[in-house]
Amino acid sequence: MSEQAADDQDGSAGMPLLGDRFPELEAETTHGTKSLPDDYEGEWFVLFSHPGDFTPVCTTEFVAFEQRREEFEELDAKLIGLSVDRVHSHIKWTEWIDEELDEDVGFPIIADESGDVAEALGMIHPGQGTSTVRSVFIVDPEGNLRLILYYPMEIGRNIDEILRSLEALQTSDEEGVALPANWPENENFGDKALLSPPSNVADADARLEEAEEEGYEAYDWWFTLKDL
């Protein structure tokens, strides 16, 4: 096996995947130089890229993120934007957003003119040209990559889903559970959580006994819900 193939196999090269440590990067931003992920050690952060400044869909997204910024911060998460435009362009664009749309963007925006950050994170997709696609990365307090979303240039992001995913990840970590579809508003189970399925016969039998003792809602040994 070649050295490159070995690197690819063990995850030490190429774009990061879920569970990988976020790559160590130095980035120039509208709030000065940032070292990622070290500057956000101990807290969550959400890094999202946009194809370019002064573009309609991106403008609506930045307004939407800013309007929900306090909700992210209540979940101990910071927002960081990114595009291949320069800091001066970011500043002028956010000034326009403030003047015309009455939203003062309070989170830093990475100026990735060289494309190094976008390349390291797989934000540039050849089929979409040379601009960064609409990527979203949620990173936990240990600097590990927990969620990746990609949107095409034509479609703006759903901020509700990003907030929901962030809260779900935190709840899963804290409670040691999995979360059902559309949590916390699942059509059949509301805001209940799912216990991880047992991995052997003994644990499967024990799960049903546990469910009866603890008052869990057990449809079967592999499908058991609990209130949070």
Side-chain angles (χ1 to χ4, degrees):
M1 181 182 297
S2 69
E3 183 176 343
Q4 180 62 49
D7 285 346
D8 290 343
Q9 188 177 58
D10 68 17
S12 60
M15 63 177 288
L17 303 176
L18 292 178
D20 288 349
R21 180 169 171 80
F22 192 88
E24 295 185 2
L25 301 166
E26 290 284 326
E28 296 301 319
T29 83
T30 51
H31 292 192
T33 302
K34 296 287 185 183
S35 296
L36 303 176
D38 294 345
D39 282 354
Y40 294 90
E41 184 178 1
E43 58 189 345
W44 295 75
F45 70 88
V46 179
L47 172 62
F48 62 96
S49 62
H50 60 284
D53 299 346
F54 297 100
T55 52
V57 176
C58 299
T59 300
T60 64
E61 290 183 313
F62 266 61
V63 170
F65 271 115
E66 177 56 37
Q67 289 175 336
R68 309 293 293 278
R69 178 163 58 89
E70 288 187 2
E71 293 178 58
F72 283 98
E73 292 176 352
E74 286 171 2
L75 293 170
D76 296 319
K78 298 293 179 63
L79 294 171
I80 316 169
L82 176 147
S83 86
V84 295
D85 294 306
R86 299 180 178 182
V87 167
H88 298 93
S89 176
H90 291 339
I91 293 173
K92 188 63 179 176
W93 182 42
T94 54
E95 285 178 351
W96 187 94
I97 291 173
D98 189 16
E99 292 168 1
E100 299 295 332
L101 303 177
D102 198 28
E103 286 296 338
D104 182 11
V105 175
F107 51 82
I109 309 170
I110 294 172
D112 190 30
E113 186 180 2
S114 66
D116 291 343
V117 177
E119 193 69 36
L121 296 174
M123 292 176 168
I124 298 177
H125 295 187
Q128 295 287 308
T130 58
S131 299
T132 50
V133 297
R134 302 184 198 284
S135 307
V136 180
F137 299 89
I138 295 182
V139 182
D140 68 20
E142 286 72 46
N144 298 318
L145 186 56
R146 301 294 299 278
L147 180 143
I148 304 172
L149 295 171
Y150 290 119
Y151 291 72
M153 294 184 183
E154 302 86 354
I155 300 173
R157 281 163 278 219
N158 186 313
I159 311 303
D160 285 332
E161 172 57 16
I162 298 170
L163 276 165
R164 186 197 77 90
S165 298
L166 174 63
E167 185 175 3
L169 285 168
Q170 293 178 350
T171 301
S172 176
D173 287 355
E174 291 166 5
E175 302 290 340
V177 294
L179 287 312
N182 297 325
W183 182 88
E185 297 178 0
N186 181 275
E187 293 79 358
N188 299 301
F189 311 113
D191 63 355
K192 292 182 179 180
L194 290 159
L195 300 183
S196 298
S199 57
N200 56 61
V201 173
D203 288 347
D205 292 338
R207 169 58 54 80
L208 294 177
E209 295 178 8
E210 177 191 17
E212 185 174 353
E213 292 173 1
E214 299 294 335
Y216 297 154
E217 187 176 357
Y219 287 76
D220 209 327
W221 59 265
W222 59 271
F223 195 93
T224 303
L225 297 120
K226 64 173 287 189
D227 293 315
L228 295 176

